[in-house]
Amino acid sequence: VFPSDVEVDGSLPDQVILQLRGNGWTLLRASANHPQVKVDWQEIKDRTVIDLQKYKAVLSAEIPGNAEVVDIYPGFVPVKYTEIDSVKLPVQPDVRWRSERHSTDSIKLKPDSVWVKGEGSALAELTYWPTEKLYLSGLDTTGTIPLAESKGLRLSAVAVQFSFKAAAKEHNKD
């Protein structure tokens, strides 16, 4: 388990293969046991490879009987980390009007903002998060509109509820 502000680039194996040494009954019991390795983040945070071989003794202690872990495959796992930042951004609807006489001021969104998580450089220039295109005709309308694609960022929501109350845009008479 990694801290919430760290993301692993690529994939880590869900399982590893253990080669065991022991007597028949011990090995049979061991096959039903699925020991887990708890890797200390502080110990590996500056490394680009996790050495699973050094966890043989820890794994052997978790297996019932006198089975011994002889080998682990893969023994070494390459890993790359990215520090993750988060920012709360207002949601901005991408409204397309079928008539030019309306204002987006009368659109209410729930939630009206979302948390966006990702690499700091990807978040730096964001000032709002858009929705997919929303076509309105000027009639009172409510519904759900998806948020725009996240392009490698994680959002706290995938869609927002909207309500629109028709109000004609005022035009200046010259």
Side-chain angles (χ1 to χ4, degrees), residues 41-111:
W41 166 247
Q42 294 301 321
E43 186 179 317
I44 66 165
K45 71 179 181 179
D46 296 324
R47 298 189 181 163
T48 58
V49 174
I50 299 174
D51 179 3
L52 295 178
Q53 294 294 329
K54 71 182 207 171
Y55 294 96
K56 287 185 212 177
V58 172
L59 288 167
S60 292
E62 288 191 30
I63 297 172
N66 292 325
E68 175 190 359
V69 175
V70 178
D71 200 6
I72 300 174
Y73 179 81
F76 300 91
V77 178
V79 64
K80 182 180 174 191
Y81 314 102
T82 301
E83 289 196 31
I84 300 299
D85 292 325
S86 62
V87 63
K88 189 173 187 178
L89 297 174
V91 174
Q92 181 172 320
D94 184 0
V95 178
R96 305 301 161 113
W97 297 102
R98 292 192 165 88
S99 154
E100 295 295 321
R101 297 174 159 228
H102 298 282
S103 164
T104 57
D105 295 341
S106 55
I107 297 176
K108 303 293 182 223
L109 301 173
K110 283 188 181 181

Side-chain angles (χ1 to χ4, degrees), residues 109-160:
L109 301 173
K110 283 188 181 181
D112 63 356
S113 58
V114 292
W115 281 99
V116 182
K117 289 185 177 186
E119 194 170 345
S121 61
L123 299 176
E125 295 183 21
L126 296 175
T127 57
Y128 66 90
W129 196 267
T131 65
E132 294 289 330
K133 289 182 177 84
L134 175 61
Y135 293 93
L136 295 174
S137 63
L139 301 175
D140 290 359
T141 309
T142 61
T144 302
I145 184 73
L147 295 173
E149 288 214 18
S150 62
K151 303 171 188 110
L153 301 173
R154 291 193 314 253
L155 304 175
S156 62
V158 294
V160 294

